[in-house]
Coordinates of all heavy atoms in Angstrom, one line a residue:
M1 N 3.0 -35.8 37.9 CA 3.3 -37.2 37.4 C 2.6 -38.2 38.2 O 2.4 -38.0 39.4 CB 4.8 -37.4 37.5 CG 5.3 -38.6 36.9 SD 7.1 -38.9 36.9 CE 7.9 -37.4 36.6
S2 N 2.2 -39.2 37.6 CA 1.4 -40.3 38.3 C 2.3 -41.0 39.2 O 3.6 -40.9 39.2 CB 0.8 -41.3 37.3 OG 1.9 -42.0 36.7
A3 N 1.7 -41.8 40.1 CA 2.5 -42.6 41.1 C 3.4 -43.6 40.3 O 4.5 -43.9 40.7 CB 1.5 -43.3 42.0
T4 N 2.8 -44.2 39.2 CA 3.6 -45.1 38.4 C 4.8 -44.4 37.8 O 5.9 -44.9 37.8 CB 2.8 -45.7 37.3 OG1 1.6 -46.4 37.9 CG2 3.6 -46.7 36.5
G5 N 4.6 -43.2 37.3 CA 5.7 -42.4 36.7 C 6.7 -42.1 37.7 O 8.0 -42.2 37.5
E6 N 6.3 -41.7 38.9 CA 7.3 -41.4 40.0 C 8.1 -42.7 40.4 O 9.3 -42.6 40.6 CB 6.6 -40.9 41.3 CG 6.0 -39.6 41.1 CD 7.0 -38.5 41.1 OE1 8.2 -38.7 41.6 OE2 6.7 -37.4 40.6
K7 N 7.4 -43.8 40.4 CA 8.1 -45.1 40.7 C 9.2 -45.4 39.7 O 10.3 -45.8 40.0 CB 7.1 -46.2 40.9 CG 7.7 -47.6 41.2 CD 6.7 -48.7 41.3 CE 7.3 -50.0 41.6 NZ 6.4 -51.1 41.6
V8 N 8.8 -45.3 38.4 CA 9.7 -45.6 37.3 C 10.9 -44.6 37.4 O 12.0 -45.0 37.2 CB 9.0 -45.5 35.9 CG1 9.9 -45.5 34.8 CG2 7.9 -46.6 35.8
F9 N 10.6 -43.3 37.6 CA 11.6 -42.3 37.7 C 12.7 -42.7 38.8 O 13.9 -42.6 38.6 CB 11.0 -40.9 38.0 CG 12.0 -39.8 38.1 CD1 12.7 -39.4 37.0 CD2 12.3 -39.2 39.3 CE1 13.7 -38.4 37.0 CE2 13.2 -38.2 39.4 CZ 13.9 -37.8 38.2
R10 N 12.2 -43.1 40.0 CA 13.1 -43.5 41.0 C 13.9 -44.7 40.6 O 15.1 -44.8 40.9 CB 12.3 -43.8 42.3 CG 11.9 -42.5 43.0 CD 11.3 -42.8 44.4 NE 10.2 -43.8 44.5 CZ 9.0 -43.5 44.3 NH1 8.6 -42.3 44.1 NH2 8.1 -44.5 44.3
Q11 N 13.3 -45.6 39.9 CA 14.0 -46.8 39.4 C 15.1 -46.4 38.4 O 16.2 -47.0 38.4 CB 13.1 -47.8 38.8 CG 12.2 -48.5 39.9 CD 11.1 -49.4 39.2 OE1 10.7 -49.2 38.1 NE2 10.6 -50.4 40.0
V12 N 14.8 -45.5 37.6 CA 15.8 -45.0 36.6 C 16.9 -44.4 37.2 O 18.1 -44.6 36.8 CB 15.1 -44.1 35.5 CG1 16.1 -43.4 34.7 CG2 14.1 -44.9 34.7
L13 N 16.7 -43.6 38.2 CA 17.8 -42.9 38.9 C 18.7 -43.9 39.6 O 19.9 -43.5 39.8 CB 17.2 -41.9 40.0 CG 16.5 -40.7 39.4 CD1 16.0 -39.8 40.5 CD2 17.5 -39.9 38.5
A14 N 18.3 -45.1 39.9 CA 19.1 -46.1 40.5 C 20.0 -46.8 39.5 O 20.9 -47.5 39.9 CB 18.2 -47.1 41.3
L15 N 19.8 -46.6 38.2 CA 20.6 -47.3 37.2 C 21.9 -46.6 37.1 O 22.1 -45.4 37.4 CB 19.8 -47.2 35.8 CG 18.5 -47.9 35.7 CD1 17.9 -47.5 34.4 CD2 18.7 -49.4 35.8
P16 N 22.9 -47.4 36.6 CA 24.2 -46.7 36.3 C 24.0 -45.7 35.2 O 23.1 -45.7 34.4 CB 25.0 -47.9 35.7 CG 24.3 -49.1 36.2 CD 22.9 -48.8 36.3
I17 N 24.9 -44.7 35.2 CA 24.8 -43.5 34.3 C 24.7 -43.9 32.8 O 23.9 -43.3 32.1 CB 25.9 -42.5 34.6 CG1 25.5 -41.2 33.9 CG2 27.2 -43.0 34.1 CD1 26.3 -40.0 34.4
E18 N 25.4 -44.9 32.4 CA 25.4 -45.3 31.0 C 24.0 -45.9 30.6 O 23.5 -45.6 29.5 CB 26.5 -46.4 30.7 CG 27.9 -45.9 30.7 CD 28.5 -46.0 32.1 OE1 27.9 -46.6 33.0 OE2 29.6 -45.4 32.3
E19 N 23.4 -46.6 31.5 CA 22.1 -47.1 31.2 C 21.0 -46.0 31.2 O 20.1 -46.0 30.4 CB 21.7 -48.2 32.3 CG 22.4 -49.5 32.1 CD 21.9 -50.6 33.0 OE1 20.7 -50.8 33.1 OE2 22.8 -51.3 33.6
R20 N 21.2 -45.0 32.1 CA 20.3 -43.9 32.1 C 20.4 -43.1 30.8 O 19.4 -42.7 30.2 CB 20.6 -43.0 33.3 CG 20.0 -43.5 34.6 CD 20.2 -42.5 35.7 NE 21.6 -42.6 36.2 CZ 22.1 -41.7 36.9 NH1 21.5 -40.6 37.3 NH2 23.4 -41.8 37.3
A21 N 21.6 -43.0 30.3 CA 21.9 -42.3 29.1 C 21.2 -43.0 27.9 O 20.6 -42.4 27.0 CB 23.4 -42.1 28.8
Q22 N 21.4 -44.3 27.9 CA 20.7 -45.1 26.8 C 19.2 -45.0 26.9 O 18.6 -44.9 25.8 CB 21.2 -46.6 26.9 CG 22.6 -46.8 26.6 CD 23.1 -48.2 26.9 OE1 22.4 -49.0 27.6 NE2 24.2 -48.6 26.4
L23 N 18.7 -45.1 28.1 CA 17.2 -44.9 28.3 C 16.8 -43.6 27.8 O 15.8 -43.5 27.1 CB 16.8 -45.2 29.7 CG 15.4 -45.0 30.0 CD1 14.5 -46.0 29.2 CD2 15.1 -45.2 31.5
L24 N 17.5 -42.5 28.1 CA 17.2 -41.2 27.7 C 17.2 -41.1 26.1 O 16.3 -40.5 25.5 CB 18.1 -40.2 28.3 CG 17.9 -38.7 27.9 CD1 16.5 -38.2 28.3 CD2 19.0 -37.9 28.5
E25 N 18.2 -41.7 25.5 CA 18.2 -41.7 24.1 C 17.0 -42.4 23.5 O 16.4 -41.9 22.5 CB 19.5 -42.4 23.6 CG 20.8 -41.6 23.8 CD 22.0 -42.3 23.4 OE1 21.9 -43.4 22.7 OE2 23.1 -41.9 23.7
H26 N 16.6 -43.5 24.0 CA 15.4 -44.2 23.5 C 14.2 -43.3 23.7 O 13.3 -43.3 22.8 CB 15.3 -45.5 24.2 CG 16.3 -46.6 23.8 ND1 16.3 -47.1 22.5 CD2 17.2 -47.2 24.5 CE1 17.3 -48.0 22.5 NE2 17.9 -48.0 23.6
L27 N 14.0 -42.7 24.9 CA 12.9 -41.9 25.1 C 12.8 -40.7 24.2 O 11.8 -40.4 23.6 CB 12.9 -41.4 26.6 CG 12.5 -42.4 27.6 CD1 12.8 -41.9 29.0 CD2 11.1 -42.9 27.5
L28 N 14.0 -40.0 24.0 CA 14.0 -38.9 23.1 C 13.7 -39.3 21.6 O 13.0 -38.6 20.9 CB 15.3 -38.2 23.1 CG 15.6 -37.4 24.4 CD1 17.0 -36.9 24.4 CD2 14.6 -36.3 24.6
S29 N 14.2 -40.5 21.2 CA 13.9 -40.9 19.9 C 12.4 -41.2 19.6 O 12.0 -41.1 18.5 CB 14.8 -42.1 19.5 OG 14.3 -43.3 20.2
A30 N 11.7 -41.5 20.7 CA 10.3 -41.7 20.6 C 9.6 -40.4 20.2 O 8.5 -40.5 19.6 CB 9.7 -42.3 21.9
F31 N 10.2 -39.3 20.5 CA 9.6 -38.0 20.2 C 10.1 -37.5 18.8 O 9.5 -36.7 18.2 CB 9.9 -37.0 21.2 CG 9.2 -37.2 22.5 CD1 9.8 -37.9 23.6 CD2 7.8 -36.8 22.7 CE1 9.1 -38.1 24.7 CE2 7.2 -37.1 23.9 CZ 7.8 -37.7 24.9
E32 N 11.3 -37.9 18.5 CA 12.0 -37.3 17.3 C 11.7 -38.0 16.0 O 12.1 -37.5 15.0 CB 13.5 -37.3 17.6 CG 14.0 -36.4 18.7 CD 15.4 -36.6 19.1 OE1 16.1 -37.5 18.5 OE2 15.9 -35.9 19.9
G33 N 11.2 -39.2 16.1 CA 11.0 -39.9 14.8 C 12.1 -40.9 14.6 O 12.9 -41.2 15.5
P34 N 12.3 -41.3 13.3 CA 13.4 -42.2 13.0 C 14.8 -41.7 13.3 O 15.0 -40.5 13.2 CB 13.2 -42.4 11.5 CG 11.9 -41.8 11.1 CD 11.5 -40.9 12.2
V35 N 15.6 -42.6 13.7 CA 17.0 -42.3 14.1 C 17.9 -42.5 13.0 O 17.8 -43.4 12.2 CB 17.4 -43.2 15.3 CG1 18.9 -43.0 15.6 CG2 16.5 -43.1 16.5
N36 N 18.8 -41.5 12.8 CA 19.9 -41.6 11.8 C 21.1 -42.2 12.5 O 21.8 -41.5 13.2 CB 20.2 -40.3 11.2 CG 21.2 -40.3 10.1 OD1 22.1 -41.2 10.2 ND2 21.2 -39.4 9.2
Q37 N 21.3 -43.5 12.4 CA 22.3 -44.2 13.2 C 23.7 -43.7 12.9 O 24.5 -43.5 13.8 CB 22.2 -45.7 12.8 CG 23.1 -46.6 13.7 CD 22.7 -46.6 15.2 OE1 21.5 -46.5 15.4 NE2 23.6 -46.8 16.1
Q38 N 24.0 -43.4 11.6 CA 25.3 -42.8 11.3 C 25.5 -41.5 11.9 O 26.6 -41.2 12.5 CB 25.4 -42.7 9.7 CG 26.8 -42.3 9.3 CD 26.9 -42.1 7.8 OE1 25.9 -42.2 7.1 NE2 28.1 -42.0 7.3
F39 N 24.5 -40.6 11.9 CA 24.6 -39.3 12.6 C 24.9 -39.5 14.1 O 25.7 -38.8 14.7 CB 23.4 -38.5 12.3 CG 23.4 -37.1 12.8 CD1 24.2 -36.1 12.2 CD2 22.7 -36.8 13.9 CE1 24.2 -34.9 12.7 CE2 22.7 -35.5 14.4 CZ 23.5 -34.5 13.8
D40 N 24.1 -40.4 14.7 CA 24.2 -40.6 16.1 C 25.6 -41.1 16.5 O 26.2 -40.7 17.5 CB 23.2 -41.6 16.6 CG 21.8 -41.0 16.7 OD1 21.7 -39.7 16.5 OD2 20.8 -41.8 16.8
E41 N 26.1 -42.0 15.7 CA 27.5 -42.6 15.9 C 28.5 -41.5 15.8 O 29.5 -41.4 16.6 CB 27.8 -43.7 14.9 CG 27.0 -45.0 15.2 CD 27.2 -46.1 14.2 OE1 28.2 -46.0 13.4 OE2 26.4 -47.0 14.2
L42 N 28.4 -40.6 14.8 CA 29.3 -39.5 14.7 C 29.3 -38.6 16.0 O 30.4 -38.2 16.5 CB 29.0 -38.6 13.5 CG 29.3 -39.3 12.1 CD1 28.7 -38.4 11.0 CD2 30.8 -39.5 12.0
W43 N 28.1 -38.3 16.5 CA 28.0 -37.5 17.7 C 28.6 -38.2 18.9 O 29.2 -37.6 19.8 CB 26.6 -37.1 18.0 CG 26.3 -35.8 17.3 CD1 25.4 -35.6 16.3 CD2 26.8 -34.5 17.5 NE1 25.4 -34.3 15.9 CE2 26.3 -33.6 16.6 CE3 27.8 -34.0 18.4 CZ2 26.6 -32.2 16.6 CZ3 28.2 -32.7 18.4 CH2 27.6 -31.8 17.5
V44 N 28.4 -39.5 19.0 CA 28.9 -40.3 20.1 C 30.5 -40.2 20.0 O 31.1 -40.0 21.1 CB 28.4 -41.7 20.1 CG1 29.2 -42.6 21.0 CG2 27.0 -41.8 20.5
N45 N 31.0 -40.4 18.9 CA 32.5 -40.3 18.7 C 33.0 -39.0 19.1 O 34.0 -38.8 19.7 CB 32.9 -40.7 17.3 CG 32.6 -42.2 17.0 OD1 32.6 -43.0 17.9 ND2 32.5 -42.5 15.7
E46 N 32.3 -37.9 18.7 CA 32.7 -36.5 19.0 C 32.7 -36.3 20.5 O 33.6 -35.7 21.0 CB 31.7 -35.5 18.3 CG 32.1 -34.1 18.6 CD 33.4 -33.6 18.0 OE1 33.9 -34.2 17.1 OE2 33.9 -32.6 18.5
A47 N 31.6 -36.8 21.1 CA 31.6 -36.7 22.6 C 32.7 -37.4 23.3 O 33.3 -36.8 24.2 CB 30.2 -37.2 23.1
H48 N 33.0 -38.6 22.8 CA 34.1 -39.3 23.4 C 35.5 -38.6 23.2 O 36.3 -38.5 24.1 CB 34.2 -40.8 22.8 CG 33.1 -41.7 23.4 ND1 33.3 -42.4 24.6 CD2 31.9 -42.0 23.0 CE1 32.2 -43.1 24.8 NE2 31.4 -42.9 23.9
D49 N 35.6 -38.1 22.0 CA 36.9 -37.4 21.6 C 37.0 -36.1 22.5 O 38.1 -35.8 23.0 CB 36.9 -36.9 20.2 CG 37.1 -38.1 19.2 OD1 37.4 -39.2 19.7 OD2 36.8 -37.9 18.0
R50 N 35.9 -35.4 22.7 CA 36.0 -34.2 23.6 C 36.3 -34.6 25.0 O 37.1 -33.9 25.7 CB 34.7 -33.4 23.5 CG 34.5 -32.8 22.1 CD 33.2 -32.0 22.1 NE 32.9 -31.5 20.8 CZ 32.0 -30.6 20.5 NH1 31.3 -30.0 21.5 NH2 31.8 -30.2 19.3
L51 N 35.7 -35.6 25.5 CA 36.0 -36.0 26.9 C 37.4 -36.5 27.0 O 38.1 -36.1 28.0 CB 35.0 -37.2 27.3 CG 35.2 -37.7 28.7 CD1 35.0 -36.6 29.7 CD2 34.2 -38.8 29.0
A52 N 37.9 -37.2 26.1 CA 39.3 -37.6 26.1 C 40.3 -36.4 26.1 O 41.2 -36.4 26.8 CB 39.6 -38.6 25.0
A53 N 40.0 -35.4 25.3 CA 40.8 -34.2 25.2 C 40.7 -33.5 26.5 O 41.7 -33.0 27.0 CB 40.3 -33.3 24.1
Y54 N 39.6 -33.4 27.2 CA 39.4 -32.8 28.5 C 40.3 -33.6 29.5 O 41.0 -33.0 30.3 CB 38.0 -32.8 28.9 CG 37.8 -32.3 30.3 CD1 37.8 -31.0 30.6 CD2 37.6 -33.2 31.4 CE1 37.6 -30.5 31.9 CE2 37.4 -32.8 32.7 CZ 37.4 -31.4 32.9 OH 37.3 -31.0 34.2
D55 N 40.2 -34.9 29.5 CA 40.9 -35.7 30.4 C 42.5 -35.5 30.2 O 43.2 -35.6 31.2 CB 40.6 -37.2 30.3 CG 39.2 -37.5 30.8 OD1 38.6 -36.7 31.6 OD2 38.6 -38.6 30.4
R56 N 42.9 -35.3 29.0 CA 44.3 -35.1 28.7 C 44.7 -33.6 29.0 O 45.9 -33.3 28.9 CB 44.6 -35.4 27.3 CG 44.5 -36.8 26.9 CD 45.1 -37.1 25.5 NE 44.4 -36.3 24.4 CZ 43.3 -36.7 23.7 NH1 42.8 -37.9 23.9 NH2 42.8 -35.9 22.8
G57 N 43.8 -32.8 29.4 CA 44.1 -31.4 29.7 C 44.2 -30.5 28.5 O 44.7 -29.4 28.6
E58 N 43.8 -31.0 27.3 CA 43.9 -30.2 26.1 C 42.8 -29.2 26.0 O 42.9 -28.2 25.2 CB 43.8 -31.2 24.9 CG 45.0 -32.1 24.8 CD 44.9 -33.2 23.8 OE1 43.9 -33.2 23.0 OE2 45.8 -34.0 23.7
I59 N 41.7 -29.4 26.7 CA 40.6 -28.4 26.7 C 40.1 -28.2 28.1 O 40.4 -29.1 29.0 CB 39.4 -28.8 25.8 CG1 38.8 -30.1 26.2 CG2 39.8 -28.8 24.3 CD1 37.5 -30.5 25.5
V60 N 39.6 -27.1 28.4 CA 39.1 -26.8 29.8 C 37.6 -26.7 29.8 O 37.0 -26.3 28.8 CB 39.7 -25.6 30.4 CG1 41.2 -25.8 30.6 CG2 39.4 -24.4 29.6
A61 N 37.0 -27.0 30.9 CA 35.5 -26.9 31.1 C 35.2 -25.4 31.5 O 36.0 -24.8 32.2 CB 35.0 -27.9 32.1
I62 N 34.1 -25.0 31.1 CA 33.5 -23.7 31.6 C 32.3 -23.9 32.3 O 31.4 -24.7 31.9 CB 33.3 -22.8 30.3 CG1 34.5 -22.6 29.5 CG2 32.7 -21.4 30.8 CD1 34.3 -21.8 28.2
E63 N 32.1 -23.3 33.5 CA 30.9 -23.5 34.3 C 29.7 -23.1 33.5 O 29.7 -22.1 32.8 CB 31.0 -22.6 35.6 CG 32.1 -23.0 36.5 CD 31.8 -24.3 37.3 OE1 30.6 -24.6 37.4 OE2 32.8 -24.9 37.6
A64 N 28.7 -23.8 33.6 CA 27.4 -23.6 32.9 C 26.9 -22.2 33.2 O 26.4 -21.5 32.3 CB 26.4 -24.6 33.2
E65 N 27.0 -21.7 34.4 CA 26.5 -20.4 34.8 C 27.3 -19.3 34.0 O 26.6 -18.4 33.5 CB 26.7 -20.2 36.3 CG 26.2 -18.9 36.8 CD 26.3 -18.8 38.3 OE1 26.1 -19.8 39.0 OE2 26.5 -17.6 38.8
D66 N 28.6 -19.5 33.8 CA 29.3 -18.5 33.0 C 28.9 -18.5 31.5 O 28.8 -17.5 30.9 CB 30.8 -18.8 33.1 CG 31.4 -18.6 34.5 OD1 30.8 -17.9 35.3 OD2 32.5 -19.2 34.8
V67 N 28.6 -19.7 31.0 CA 28.2 -19.8 29.6 C 26.9 -19.1 29.5 O 26.7 -18.3 28.5 CB 28.0 -21.3 29.2 CG1 27.4 -21.4 27.8 CG2 29.4 -22.0 29.2
F68 N 25.9 -19.3 30.4 CA 24.6 -18.7 30.3 C 24.7 -17.2 30.5 O 24.0 -16.4 29.8 CB 23.6 -19.3 31.3 CG 23.3 -20.8 31.0 CD1 23.4 -21.7 32.0 CD2 22.9 -21.2 29.7 CE1 23.1 -23.0 31.7 CE2 22.7 -22.5 29.4 CZ 22.8 -23.4 30.4
T69 N 25.6 -16.8 31.4 CA 25.7 -15.3 31.6 C 26.3 -14.6 30.3 O 25.8 -13.6 29.9 CB 26.7 -15.1 32.8 OG1 26.1 -15.6 33.9 CG2 26.9 -13.6 33.0
R70 N 27.3 -15.3 29.7 CA 27.8 -14.7 28.4 C 26.8 -14.7 27.3 O 26.7 -13.7 26.6 CB 29.0 -15.5 28.0 CG 30.2 -15.4 28.8 CD 31.3 -16.3 28.3 NE 32.4 -16.4 29.3 CZ 33.4 -17.2 29.1 NH1 33.6 -17.9 27.9 NH2 34.4 -17.3 30.0
A71 N 26.0 -15.7 27.2 CA 24.9 -15.8 26.2 C 23.9 -14.7 26.4 O 23.5 -14.0 25.5 CB 24.3 -17.2 26.2
I72 N 23.5 -14.5 27.7 CA 22.5 -13.4 27.9 C 23.1 -12.0 27.6 O 22.4 -11.2 27.1 CB 22.1 -13.5 29.4 CG1 21.2 -14.8 29.6 CG2 21.3 -12.3 29.8 CD1 20.9 -15.1 31.0
Q73 N 24.4 -11.8 27.9 CA 25.0 -10.5 27.7 C 25.1 -10.2 26.2 O 25.2 -9.1 25.8 CB 26.4 -10.5 28.3 CG 26.4 -10.5 29.8 CD 27.8 -10.6 30.5 OE1 28.7 -10.9 29.8 NE2 27.8 -10.3 31.8
K74 N 25.2 -11.3 25.4 CA 25.4 -11.1 23.9 C 24.0 -10.7 23.2 O 24.0 -10.4 22.1 CB 26.0 -12.3 23.3 CG 27.5 -12.4 23.6 CD 28.1 -13.6 22.9 CE 29.6 -13.6 23.2 NZ 30.3 -14.6 22.4
K75 N 22.9 -10.9 23.9 CA 21.6 -10.6 23.3 C 21.5 -9.1 23.0 O 21.9 -8.3 23.6 CB 20.5 -11.1 24.2 CG 20.3 -12.6 24.2 CD 19.1 -12.9 25.0 CE 18.8 -14.4 24.8 NZ 17.6 -14.8 25.5

């Protein structure tokens, strides 16, 4: 990565997580083509609903390492 890219990356890491997420969405959309706003809103709502359910103790988290191990074992 260029020196400019490294500088921008360090600046991005200093942003609040919500702003980093928004920036990531914008960057990804530059590669994906046109955005389907309705579809994106549905996924945002789903993510919020899942996080709220987790916060209420209705669902539990699984360590990523366990998920990957199970996926590899199923191959």
Side-chain angles (χ1 to χ4, degrees):
M1 187 178 321
S2 70
T4 302
E6 289 288 340
K7 181 180 178 183
V8 169
F9 181 68
R10 285 191 304 274
Q11 290 173 334
V12 168
L13 290 179
L15 294 172
I17 194 163
E18 289 90 9
E19 288 186 47
R20 283 186 279 165
Q22 290 173 348
L23 180 58
L24 179 59
E25 288 178 11
H26 287 294
L27 287 171
L28 288 174
S29 70
F31 291 98
E32 296 171 353
V35 174
N36 181 331
Q37 189 68 31
Q38 183 179 12
F39 184 74
D40 288 347
E41 288 175 15
L42 289 171
W43 271 115
V44 167
N45 290 338
E46 179 67 20
H48 285 274
D49 290 346
R50 290 182 188 194
L51 180 58
Y54 173 79
D55 289 340
R56 291 189 304 268
E58 296 172 2
I59 59 174
V60 295
I62 301 172
E63 295 287 333
E65 186 175 325
D66 294 338
V67 172
F68 295 129
T69 300
R70 290 180 196 175
I72 290 169
Q73 290 173 348
K74 289 186 178 186
K75 283 186 176 183

